[in-house]
Amino acid sequence: MTLGELLVYVDTRSGYRILDGGADATVARSLAGAHAEPFFGQIVAALARVVDGRTDAAIDRATAMTALGPIRLQAMRDDAPVEHLRTVERVVHAIDGAFNDEALANRR
């Protein structure tokens, strides 16, 4: 799965508008700190950095989850907004679903 495909999947399945334009525009805005929703921008930027900002680059489940590790830890702090933890958990769940769906599709 590519980063672009993953972002579209998360955008359509998480209940959040992760995309700020298309996948390429979202990555560019996120890496520049200009995403319309700053916390979503942090999430997208973390994912994008591991593939050098390329939406056509392959990303796997372990890499995506590792990239979000620092954001998850930040969201778990006592002084972090509770909504950040809920958001991260829903995004992680959607990412997990993306790779599960991909694995199931490859078995058919």
Side-chain angles (χ1 to χ4, degrees):
M1 172 174 305
T2 66
L3 174 61
E5 292 167 337
L6 181 61
L7 293 176
V8 169
Y9 186 98
V10 171
D11 186 75
T12 59
R13 304 287 172 86
S14 69
Y16 295 118
R17 293 280 112 208
I18 299 296
L19 294 177
D20 186 7
D24 289 325
T26 300
V27 167
R29 287 184 184 115
S30 297
L31 290 172
H35 192 287
E37 295 290 334
F39 191 63
F40 293 146
Q42 289 179 31
I43 291 169
V44 172
L47 294 169
R49 282 187 199 101
V50 297
V51 293
D52 298 322
R54 293 183 33 233
T55 57
D56 63 343
I59 188 167
D60 61 34
R61 183 190 316 250
T63 302
M65 295 302 181
T66 299
L68 293 181
I71 293 172
R72 288 177 90 178
L73 289 174
Q74 177 187 12
M76 289 178 177
R77 291 180 26 184
D78 288 341
D79 61 344
V82 70
E83 189 57 36
H84 283 188
L85 183 56
R86 288 186 184 120
T87 299
V88 171
E89 291 308 309
R90 281 178 72 179
V91 168
V92 165
H93 184 72
I95 289 171
D96 206 34
F99 288 104
N100 288 346
D101 286 353
E102 181 182 55
L104 289 170
N106 288 336
R107 289 185 182 185
R108 295 177 192 181

